[in-house]
Amino acid sequence: MTQLSVPTIRYYDKEGLIPGLAKNEAGVRCFSDDNLAALQMIECLKTAGMSIKDIRQFMAWNVEGDKTLATRLAFFNQLHATVLDQMAALQRTLDTVEFKQRYYGQAVADGTEKYVKAGKKAPGNVRQEA
């Protein structure tokens, strides 16, 4: 259901990241809708680069309830800024990768890098933009 491995779920449980996770008499974890939502949030925060320590703190604030609403809002405001910075960095990386695709595509078409490196058309080839 969660696309998470059993060891990952066990780790999250051991780290106290899944509030209110019940176990049956045999020790098997029994997941409620709230537990599944917590796992989705943990994965979201991990994808954003959040540390286990910070995720644990966020989950603790959830357990504390309404008195931490402003704290949780500030947490997500900061996370939003962080994710925007990450996206900008990834866009710069993607721009470089796409430039290199064009560059090496033209070099392959020319049979050499010397023309694309110099910004010139290869003799007899119609040069693509590099």
Side-chain angles (χ1 to χ4, degrees):
M1 283 178 77
T2 64
Q3 306 299 318
L4 297 172
S5 69
V6 172
T8 297
I9 293 172
R10 285 180 184 149
Y11 174 72
Y12 291 165
D13 184 25
K14 182 181 134 244
E15 290 295 320
L17 301 181
I18 312 169
L21 182 58
K23 294 181 183 176
N24 67 17
E25 303 81 37
V28 176
R29 291 167 182 84
C30 302
F31 293 89
S32 68
D33 288 341
D34 286 343
N35 299 142
L36 294 174
L39 288 171
Q40 288 177 329
M41 181 54 57
I42 292 164
E43 283 302 294
C44 173
L45 296 174
K46 270 191 60 204
T47 299
M50 193 72 45
S51 70
I52 293 295
K53 176 185 169 191
D54 289 339
I55 295 170
R56 186 182 306 111
Q57 178 60 70
F58 173 75
M59 299 311 267
W61 288 332
N62 279 315
V63 171
E64 289 180 39
D66 288 349
K67 67 182 180 181
T68 64
L69 286 172
T71 303
R72 287 181 273 165
L73 174 59
F75 175 87
F76 275 101
N77 287 341
Q78 178 57 51
L79 184 59
H80 183 264
T82 299
V83 170
L84 285 176
D85 289 345
Q86 291 170 343
M87 289 175 64
L90 282 172
Q91 185 60 57
R92 289 188 300 272
T93 299
L94 181 59
D95 292 345
T96 299
V97 168
E98 289 173 345
F99 170 79
K100 288 299 187 177
Q101 285 177 304
R102 291 187 306 272
Y103 176 95
Y104 287 113
Q106 187 60 52
V108 167
D110 293 345
T112 181
E113 253 185 291
K114 75 179 180 179
Y115 300 113
V116 70
K117 217 178 232 187
K120 298 179 182 178
K121 291 182 183 179
N125 282 345
V126 176
R127 183 164 183 254
Q128 301 169 6
E129 293 226 6

